[in-house]
Amino acid sequence: MPKQQTPPTSPPPKGNIRQPSLLLVNTGDGKGKSTAAFGTAMRAVARGWRVAVVQFLKSGEWQVGEEKIGRRIGIDWWALGDGFTWDSTDMDESEAIAREAWGEASEKIAGGDYELVVLDEITYPINWGWVDLEEVITTLSRRPSKVNVIITGRDAPREIIEIADTVTEMKNVKHAYDKGVMARRGIDY
Ligand code: ATP
Ligand code: MG
């Protein structure tokens, strides 16, 4: 009699769906959202994909590490504030910059020139009401079929999670910061 195998609780899907592109979300309060996105970007470059990264939070010194290497391997990297001119009198500068970043990001997505677009920390300006959630949903839903998108940041809006294919919540079990260890070169930036 053949050995009985325990059946999995739910049978795995056949895995034969050929979806042209994916929307991924890295959210949660633990470390690893951005670094996982950049790791995927590395894979994408290795496969000959065109990759764009748009960063939505001012990082200053912080992300020079990945930006430097990213540019070197051919990623089209747009850090917050790049090429920005501010002429609005009725809007907060940070809000205007975030909107500018979204303008850049939505063009990159809609343009269809990239196989991967990373929207790093975009959940923050969305949650602050600076970038219109409806508009983000529309742009993501109507994106050209080959454009994969990764969204990172805490508290990803429910509406984005609903239309995403893969959603990972980084859970903070411990962080060195909690015992007073500051951000570290090579580990955090
Ligand atoms: P990383 O860029 O390291 O992948 P992240 O994108 O998940 O981190 P962010 O919320 O973007 O996290 O925070 C950026 C910085 O804050 C990183 O230097 C990271 O180490 C630090 N950080 C992340 N999670 C925590 C946490 N739970 N407590 C304190 N600092 C954190
Ligand atoms: Mg991050």
Side-chain angles (χ1 to χ4, degrees):
M1 205 176 162
K3 241 191 194 163
Q4 276 227 314
Q5 280 193 333
T6 321
T9 42
S10 62
K14 290 271 192 303
N16 56 2
I17 299 173
R18 280 215 172 267
Q19 197 171 313
S21 69
L22 298 172
L23 172 61
L24 299 95
V25 176
N26 297 345
T27 191
D29 61 359
K31 176 175 166 62
K33 300 176 285 295
S34 299
T35 45
F38 299 144
T40 310
M42 252 176 67
R43 286 185 174 161
V45 170
R47 301 302 173 189
W49 288 12
R50 275 153 301 178
V51 178
V53 172
V54 178
Q55 291 190 293
F56 283 83
L57 283 190
K58 212 173 234 141
S59 50
E61 272 283 291
W62 276 48
Q63 292 190 340
V64 290
E66 48 264 42
E67 180 173 348
K68 201 165 144 189
I69 297 299
R71 288 186 190 278
R72 206 183 288 165
I73 63 175
I75 295 178
D76 190 355
W77 203 288
W78 202 92
L80 196 79
D82 280 0
F84 176 74
T85 47
W86 188 49
D87 50 17
S88 169
T89 46
D90 57 2
M91 198 189 287
D92 178 78
E93 187 177 359
S94 308
E95 180 172 351
I97 291 178
R99 286 184 190 220
E100 174 99 353
W102 168 245
E104 196 66 32
S106 57
E107 269 176 32
K108 283 180 159 69
I109 294 169
D113 290 332
Y114 297 96
E115 279 87 9
L116 177 64
V117 179
V118 176
L119 308 178
D120 189 38
E121 325 282 11
I122 193 179
T123 60
Y124 305 98
I126 294 174
N127 290 334
W128 297 330
W130 292 353
V131 168
D132 186 50
L133 176 60
E134 291 272 309
E135 220 184 285
V136 174
I137 297 288
T138 305
T139 303
L140 292 173
S141 308
R142 295 190 187 155
R143 72 189 190 276
S145 60
K146 68 163 195 186
V147 183
N148 299 276
V149 177
I150 307 180
I151 282 179
T152 87
R154 293 177 189 215
D155 304 312
R158 183 181 43 81
E159 293 88 336
I160 293 182
I161 289 176
E162 272 167 13
I163 62 163
D165 301 288
T166 298
V167 179
T168 302
E169 184 164 2
M170 307 294 174
K171 182 176 183 293
N172 182 31
V173 176
K174 262 189 178 186
H175 196 288
Y177 179 83
D178 303 333
K179 58 175 180 186
V181 179
M182 291 292 124
R184 229 166 242 193
R185 270 168 85 96
I187 298 287
D188 293 301
Y189 61 101

